[in-house]
Amino acid sequence: MEWTDQAIMLGTRRQGEGSLILSLLTRGHGRHKGLVRGGAKSRQRGLYEPGNLVTASWHARLAEHLGLLQIEPGQFYAAALLDDPLRLACLEATVAVAEAALPERSPYPGIFDGLQAVLQRLGADDGYATEHLRWELRVLADLGYGLDLGSCAVTGVTEGLAWVSPRTGRAVSEAAGAEYRDRLLVLPRLLGGTGRPGTSEVADLLDGLRLTGSFLDRQLFAPGGHGLPEARLRYLDRLARLDSAARTS
């Protein structure tokens, strides 16, 4: 059994004295692991940094075996972000969610393409935060837990949407949800909602991440006895401190 595919590095762990077990997100073979002999001793250890785009070749005698990997370099995203802690935190959060949420060896090419788009935006412009938020929505949708944010679940209207039901994942208008606002999640401007009046762009982004995080936690992590990945919590913490500093300056 063998294949060659585009892949994004998700993580590594040592195996024995000199080898590494890599975890990859591949476009056509899903989240996949494999062994790199001598990888822990290699001068190319920077190749295995989470977030790097590589070409991976995997082979094994049987499909169910761990198998051996050979990795060819592509784009090194993490190294370019070392001087930007917020962008690096976003990269780490994205990779951590992919590693923790996706089932092994099940291909989700849309999720792969979306993750690659986040990585490209991280190194290119300021649109990365929105790209990341929409990628989390894509993860939920492709895994069967998509949110319905296009119309009010109560009245059917498509304007003035302000909230999302934490139970159903459906949008609710300002008027229909006013009585229950303390029980609902904010639908931010970034996702087509009205957001909270007077909030900054960072606060609006935080509302969006709390929205997706609520459903990621409930649908994908809590059933297995896990919480949201620590890297994602650190990213939110950085954003919250940035918003707080902006409001007090």
Side-chain angles (χ1 to χ4, degrees), residues 5-6 8 25-28 53 77 108-121 131 135 138 142:
D5 202 354
Q6 284 185 295
I8 295 168
L25 179 60
T26 68
R27 192 176 194 282
L53 178 68
Y77 289 104
Y108 292 95
I111 292 177
F112 177 92
D113 292 343
L115 177 49
Q116 187 175 1
V118 174
L119 296 173
Q120 290 170 341
R121 284 289 182 93
E131 194 78 42
W135 177 78
R138 179 64 183 262
D142 283 12

Side-chain angles (χ1 to χ4, degrees), residues 101-186:
L102 300 179
E104 197 166 358
R105 302 193 179 192
S106 295
Y108 292 95
I111 292 177
F112 177 92
D113 292 343
L115 177 49
Q116 187 175 1
V118 174
L119 296 173
Q120 290 170 341
R121 284 289 182 93
L122 279 165
D125 58 35
D126 289 331
Y128 71 89
T130 302
E131 194 78 42
H132 167 252
L133 178 60
R134 292 189 180 281
W135 177 78
E136 289 197 337
L137 286 174
R138 179 64 183 262
V139 170
L140 286 165
D142 283 12
L143 294 181
Y145 306 106
L147 308 187
D148 182 357
L149 308 180
S151 62
C152 176
V154 180
T155 65
V157 300
T158 58
E159 296 183 356
L161 304 177
W163 319 101
V164 178
S165 166
R167 184 177 63 85
T168 66
R170 296 192 64 186
V172 181
S173 69
E174 173 74 41
E179 184 179 352
Y180 309 99
R181 60 190 305 160
D182 292 339
R183 307 178 198 175
L184 302 173
L185 297 164
V186 175

Side-chain angles (χ1 to χ4, degrees), residues 1-243:
M1 300 291 299
E2 61 182 51
W3 50 256
T4 298
D5 202 354
Q6 284 185 295
I8 295 168
M9 292 293 311
L10 298 181
T12 65
R13 65 178 175 88
R14 290 183 68 102
Q15 176 74 9
E17 293 186 3
S19 297
L20 292 174
I21 293 179
L22 307 187
S23 179
L24 310 169
L25 179 60
T26 68
R27 192 176 194 282
H29 300 83
R31 186 171 65 85
H32 212 290
K33 293 181 179 179
L35 181 74
V36 176
R37 287 177 175 159
K41 299 179 180 180
S42 172
R43 295 180 181 178
Q44 292 186 311
R45 289 191 64 184
L47 179 63
Y48 309 128
E49 288 294 322
N52 284 347
L53 178 68
V54 300
T55 298
S57 296
W58 177 89
H59 69 275
R61 189 170 63 85
L62 297 174
E64 60 268 25
H65 287 178
L66 175 64
L68 299 176
L69 279 169
Q70 290 184 328
I71 303 296
E72 296 296 329
Q75 182 69 45
F76 289 11
Y77 289 104
L81 304 177
L82 293 178
D83 294 329
D84 193 325
L86 184 61
R87 289 177 187 250
L88 185 60
C90 182
L91 181 150
E92 292 171 345
T94 312
V95 167
V97 168
E99 168 76 343
L102 300 179
E104 197 166 358
R105 302 193 179 192
S106 295
Y108 292 95
I111 292 177
F112 177 92
D113 292 343
L115 177 49
Q116 187 175 1
V118 174
L119 296 173
Q120 290 170 341
R121 284 289 182 93
L122 279 165
D125 58 35
D126 289 331
Y128 71 89
T130 302
E131 194 78 42
H132 167 252
L133 178 60
R134 292 189 180 281
W135 177 78
E136 289 197 337
L137 286 174
R138 179 64 183 262
V139 170
L140 286 165
D142 283 12
L143 294 181
Y145 306 106
L147 308 187
D148 182 357
L149 308 180
S151 62
C152 176
V154 180
T155 65
V157 300
T158 58
E159 296 183 356
L161 304 177
W163 319 101
V164 178
S165 166
R167 184 177 63 85
T168 66
R170 296 192 64 186
V172 181
S173 69
E174 173 74 41
E179 184 179 352
Y180 309 99
R181 60 190 305 160
D182 292 339
R183 307 178 198 175
L184 302 173
L185 297 164
V186 175
L187 181 58
R189 297 186 298 275
L190 277 172
L191 298 179
T194 61
R196 288 181 292 132
T199 54
S200 68
E201 290 184 5
V202 175
D204 195 63
L205 173 62
L206 281 165
D207 285 336
L209 290 169
R210 292 184 185 110
L211 171 63
T212 55
S214 175
F215 287 93
L216 287 168
D217 188 29
R218 176 183 173 184
Q219 303 292 358
L220 301 178
F221 297 121
H226 308 291
L228 289 166
E230 287 295 325
R232 192 185 187 280
L233 298 178
R234 290 194 298 269
Y235 176 48
L236 261 69
D237 181 64
R238 281 191 176 276
L239 287 169
R241 285 187 277 126
L242 179 64
D243 181 53

